[in-house]
Amino acid sequence: MTPEVQEQEINKPASPQLTFADLNVSEEILQAVTEMGFEHPSPIQAEAIPPIMDGRDVIGQAQTGTGKTAAFGIPAIEMIDVADRHPQVLVLCPTRELALQVADEIRKLSKFKRGVRVEAIYGGDSIERQIKSLKSGVHIVIGTPGRVMDHMERRTLKLDNIRMMTLDEADEMLDMGFREDIESILEDMPEERQTILFSATMSKPIMAITQRFQKDPVLVKVVKNELTNQNIEQVYFEVKPKAKVEVMCRLIDMYSLKLLLVFCNQKKRVDEIVEDLQVRGYQAEGLHGDLRQAQRNNVMSKFRSGVTNILVATDVAARGIDVDNVDAVINYDIPLDEEYYVHRIGRTGRAGKSGKAFSLVGKDEKYRFREIQNYTKVKVEKGVIPTFEDIVGIRKARFIDQVRQTIESSEDLNLYNDLLTALQHSGFSTEQVVSALVKRGMGLEKNEFSDQNLGHDEDRRERRGGERDSRFGRDRFDRGGRFDDRRGGRAGDREERPRRDGRFGDRDDRRGDERRSDDRRGDSRRGSFDRDENRAPREREANMTRLFVSIGRRDFVRPGDIVGAIAGEANIPGSSIGHIDIFDKHTLVDVPRDMVNRVLDAMEGNTIKGKRVQIEVSR
Ligand code: ADP
Ligand code: MG
């Protein structure tokens, strides 16, 4: 830290008596923050707004979700001269998502300031539209560095009148390789300007930027002591690496988690975890740097609206993302950087609500986790992994609830009366029928993860079908970590898993029925119900033919897409489709030999996920 930097550390929340009026903001801003439901300035706002309004350069360091946008947004709005139709404030953000988020927040804050115009400019959006908007006069420009450079080169964005420049999430922008862009933007700017920099971490490269481009900056820092008093319940579990998904699912069930963020350290892990969760019937999506902006936005909006309830991400991909109501954060891996831990768990327990932070600690992560606890000065309790019985208990209770609700809310239950009679006539007792339905409904079966086999103490003998494959970058969907390996290769079983809420989709039900009627055609005697389960897996494979499909991971295809397309188009039961291996550019899928022609015919010239595919017997 340079000696000139004036440092103000804020160890406690700003005095709750403090109001926005105390910060000498305008009537219009007061009206806006009131409408936005801000009662008091957050600590970073209380400390940063006054020096920024005084015209000082400021370095703000605070974790995600502390209200940094308003901290620089309010002074920015206050300084706009509406009569001057040139850009006067420029904010740089690392991603389109963040640029949009900041623009949105600043628009809300400026709602009562007549004539203030705010525009986000970022890659992936029509440049013509942006040029038109810039021409018509914009006061506050929020952009990603690449697109801002682009506009500067086209001379469609002139910086001559910029009086305030903000780097938001500066460390993230540097991580993303925007250093040169940022430097040339800053060099092109009038000398007489205010430079504000916000960053979650203070690294050497950040300090280099501040020394070069800021004048006598004030450092405003909110340290994370908040963590100690937070409404975040932190618990860790000692888990064998291979059992992490299993344990995670048990925790999700046990605590009825509705919206959660799962963090891991590596990009490629994201996809693996998402698949493992999807295979088990959970609505999960991944977020990592390889996604195109449109896909990223799509994933985020599905998560925000609750269509997806599990978002799996790396630290970098999830930076700055602001979602309320996250009821838990799961650290699938222990982060390499203590700050990351703080950022991760800060995503839950927001806005006065309570949240949970579960850390799955492998043997070789124990040391690092201890370091994190030293750093945050919080002792994290060790949790007990829910047992299989616990989960059965929870699922049963939920199932009973659902059955009760169905009975109470349906008027047409008598439509199904004859079903029971028919089953009884084939020799099943009512108890057998009910038990079979319950088993299907709960979708819960014992798997290779016995309760003793999850934690650290024992050496786990692993049954690994797919290890070789996943090590070579293919995704084989019969990896360990799923329910009951014996039936593992059959996509239909995956389809039959209940969704998180324990209910079946219509489609899944239908598939299940088709399968059963199929079976019955072959063997209508008693016991045909479970015929598949008694059949040796080898025999099944022998009856299968491998097909090549010209769509792969690059097209973001998932097993469900393949099953859906083939089963739907060829009108065959989804459950008859076997192994699915998704590669980068293609997929291999097993279908029953006697259905091959039907599948090839049906799929000819057809599309999967909107992409025209070729399908042929794999050599
Ligand atoms: P950061 O940039 O530090 O991650 P944001 O500026 O995105 O944080 O703010 C996080 C959330 O908190 C936003 O939904 C924002 O509207 C809200 N927020 C900001 N300031 C306040 C405040 N003073 N009181 C209540 N909520 C606030
Ligand atoms: Mg922010």
Side-chain angles (χ1 to χ4, degrees):
M1 193 83 17
T2 50
E4 314 88 75
V5 170
Q6 254 180 269
E7 187 163 330
Q8 314 185 353
E9 288 219 359
I10 310 149
N11 290 305
K12 48 184 187 321
S15 132
Q17 279 82 0
L18 194 77
T19 63
F20 279 97
D22 296 329
L23 300 178
N24 291 322
V25 299
S26 63
E27 224 13 80
E28 292 91 334
I29 291 288
L30 286 180
Q31 219 176 328
V33 293
T34 307
E35 193 172 296
M36 289 165 81
F38 299 3
E39 286 174 26
H40 303 281
S42 71
I44 192 84
Q45 290 161 2
E47 299 302 321
I49 290 176
I52 301 179
M53 299 242 284
D54 278 351
R56 296 286 304 266
D57 282 2
V58 168
I59 307 172
Q61 184 183 0
Q63 68 188 79
T64 302
T66 48
K68 292 191 286 287
T69 316
F72 64 79
I74 290 175
I77 295 166
E78 299 282 28
M79 72 176 291
I80 295 299
D81 171 6
V82 178
D84 175 0
R85 293 163 53 80
H86 295 97
Q88 295 157 46
V89 173
L90 176 64
V91 181
L92 291 182
C93 292
T95 63
R96 163 183 171 151
E97 155 100 348
L98 285 175
L100 286 168
Q101 225 167 270
V102 167
D104 204 44
E105 184 93 347
I106 294 186
R107 273 196 201 105
K108 285 187 200 149
L109 288 166
S110 65
K111 180 172 173 190
F112 300 99
K113 282 269 188 187
R114 296 201 54 172
V116 172
R117 296 202 47 206
V118 181
E119 187 67 74
I121 60 174
Y122 44 80
D125 182 35
S126 145
I127 194 149
E128 276 75 31
R129 194 194 62 74
Q130 293 173 358
I131 292 173
K132 220 161 134 198
S133 171
L134 288 171
K135 264 201 189 132
S136 71
V138 173
H139 303 111
I140 303 179
V141 175
I142 298 120
T144 50
R147 187 50 74 97
V148 166
M149 286 287 286
D150 199 351
H151 279 288
M152 283 165 61
E153 277 155 20
R154 290 165 185 257
R155 321 215 105 262
T156 44
L157 174 62
K158 294 211 187 70
L159 304 182
D160 309 341
N161 290 32
I162 297 285
R163 285 179 289 135
M164 181 191 283
M165 162 80 200
T166 298
L167 303 172
D168 191 18
E169 310 264 356
D171 50 350
E172 171 73 352
M173 286 198 285
L174 293 188
D175 280 354
M176 290 176 68
F178 283 133
R179 188 194 181 116
E180 281 181 17
D181 284 352
I182 291 172
E183 286 175 352
S184 36
I185 294 168
L186 282 163
E187 274 158 9
D188 261 26
M189 221 165 267
E191 282 277 308
E192 278 305 306
R193 58 136 207 274
Q194 213 177 339
T195 308
I196 319 289
L197 180 146
F198 277 95
S199 182
T201 53
M202 280 299 148
S203 57
K204 273 221 181 88
I206 297 282
M207 292 317 292
I209 294 229
T210 73
Q211 270 171 10
R212 189 161 153 209
F213 295 104
Q214 288 189 306
K215 287 187 208 112
D216 187 22
V218 181
L219 175 72
V220 175
K221 184 170 168 185
V222 176
V223 287
K224 58 259 116 205
N225 290 10
E226 298 163 59
L227 275 183
T228 42
N229 64 352
Q230 279 289 329
N231 4 352
I232 303 174
E233 182 193 342
Q234 300 180 58
V235 185
Y236 79 95
F237 300 88
E238 291 187 346
V239 186
K240 292 197 169 113
K242 278 278 162 181
K244 282 188 171 181
V245 170
E246 170 71 17
V247 171
M248 185 157 74
C249 292
R250 290 189 183 191
L251 293 171
I252 295 169
D253 285 349
M254 189 73 194
Y255 296 98
S256 304
L257 302 178
K258 297 277 154 9
L259 208 61
L260 69 151
L261 275 166
V262 176
F263 282 100
C264 58
N265 294 345
Q266 293 168 347
K267 232 167 20 186
K268 71 172 206 293
R269 203 36 78 65
V270 171
D271 289 334
E272 287 171 16
I273 298 172
V274 167
E275 279 155 22
D276 280 345
L277 287 168
Q278 285 177 347
V279 156
R280 287 156 175 265
Y282 295 87
Q283 310 295 312
E285 297 255 18
L287 201 62
H288 55 61
D290 292 349
L291 294 189
R292 278 179 275 123
Q293 267 306 344
Q295 292 162 332
R296 209 182 137 89
N297 289 348
N298 188 17
V299 168
M300 281 313 299
S301 70
K302 283 201 317 215
F303 185 62
R304 286 219 166 82
S305 62
V307 172
T308 303
N309 39 31
I310 307 176
L311 190 65
V312 184
T314 56
D315 296 281
V316 169
R319 271 292 271 290
I321 280 171
D322 169 43
V323 180
D324 286 336
N325 303 325
V326 170
D327 43 22
V329 167
I330 296 187
N331 292 309
Y332 183 93
D333 294 319
I334 302 308
L336 303 171
D337 181 335
E338 293 105 3
E339 287 272 350
Y340 279 169
Y341 180 83
V342 174
H343 290 196
R344 285 180 180 187
I345 77 169
R347 305 310 176 82
T348 185
R350 296 249 191 121
K353 298 197 191 80
S354 65
K356 295 183 167 52
F358 295 141
S359 298
L360 310 183
V361 182
K363 229 182 200 147
D364 53 358
E365 294 174 309
K366 273 172 112 166
Y367 173 77
R368 218 186 312 144
F369 194 65
R370 213 170 307 130
E371 293 280 281
I372 287 173
Q373 294 177 65
N374 289 340
Y375 176 81
T376 58
K377 307 207 168 47
V378 176
K379 182 163 167 15
V380 177
E381 291 297 319
K382 180 174 167 182
V384 179
I385 298 169
T387 64
F388 186 73
E389 293 308 312
D390 290 337
I391 303 302
V392 172
I394 293 273
R395 293 248 189 137
K396 275 184 184 163
R398 250 175 251 159
F399 190 80
I400 289 172
D401 227 41
Q402 283 158 8
V403 171
R404 183 185 302 127
Q405 278 177 21
T406 309
I407 294 174
E408 284 169 2
S409 66
S410 309
E411 281 153 18
D412 51 1
L413 276 180
N414 56 354
L415 271 175
Y416 307 102
N417 283 347
D418 55 330
L419 252 176
L420 180 60
T421 321
L423 285 163
Q424 283 168 333
H425 283 168
S426 6
F428 299 114
S429 70
T430 309
E431 284 77 13
Q432 278 177 311
V433 172
V434 171
S435 299
L437 290 175
V438 167
K439 181 178 173 188
R440 288 177 55 88
M442 298 217 307
L444 195 63
E445 284 170 67
K446 269 239 182 271
N447 56 27
E448 82 270 27
F449 292 106
S450 72
D451 291 333
Q452 292 74 37
N453 225 359
L454 303 164
H456 282 181
D457 308 322
E458 242 179 60
D459 245 335
R460 210 164 70 81
R461 261 159 282 116
E462 286 159 330
R463 290 159 63 202
R464 10 181 62 174
E467 192 219 37
R468 187 183 60 91
D469 301 300
S470 50
R471 224 193 299 140
F472 287 97
R474 7 188 317 197
D475 304 321
R476 194 169 175 102
F477 292 95
D478 56 358
R479 276 201 293 265
R482 59 177 342 192
F483 289 87
D484 194 351
D485 250 354
R486 193 156 44 86
R487 307 168 69 199
R490 301 177 59 252
D493 289 327
R494 296 196 289 273
E495 298 295 312
E496 285 161 30
R497 301 253 169 264
R499 296 194 301 251
R500 271 206 73 259
D501 56 7
R503 262 180 284 128
F504 281 109
D506 281 353
R507 232 173 106 202
D508 300 340
D509 265 350
R510 226 182 307 125
R511 272 197 205 134
D513 289 345
E514 276 170 33
R515 166 167 139 229
R516 239 180 275 162
S517 59
D518 255 15
D519 285 345
R520 211 139 356 125
R521 235 174 281 139
D523 178 1
S524 64
R525 277 165 299 126
R526 171 182 184 144
S528 65
F529 238 75
D530 277 335
R531 204 183 59 167
D532 308 290
E533 275 159 285
N534 301 327
R535 208 202 281 181
R538 270 294 152 75
E539 192 190 330
R540 171 169 297 280
E541 309 251 303
N543 293 331
M544 303 296 261
T545 298
R546 205 124 248 242
L547 297 182
F548 165 96
V549 191
S550 64
I551 187 168
R553 192 165 24 208
R554 287 192 169 177
D555 311 292
F556 298 93
V557 73
R558 284 183 308 227
D561 302 320
I562 300 282
V563 173
I566 293 182
E569 291 300 325
N571 195 21
I572 61 172
S575 57
S576 65
I577 294 169
H579 288 300
I580 300 180
D581 287 342
I582 298 188
F583 297 82
D584 240 24
K585 292 183 224 161
H586 71 280
T587 296
L588 296 178
V589 51
D590 281 353
V591 301
R593 181 172 297 162
D594 52 0
M595 293 181 185
V596 167
N597 287 335
R598 191 159 156 189
V599 170
L600 292 179
D601 285 346
M603 291 304 296
E604 197 187 66
N606 237 316
T607 58
I608 299 180
K609 286 205 106 176
K611 192 189 170 214
R612 188 170 289 272
V613 295
Q614 275 165 359
I615 181 163
E616 58 195 46
V617 174
S618 162
R619 279 146 297 153

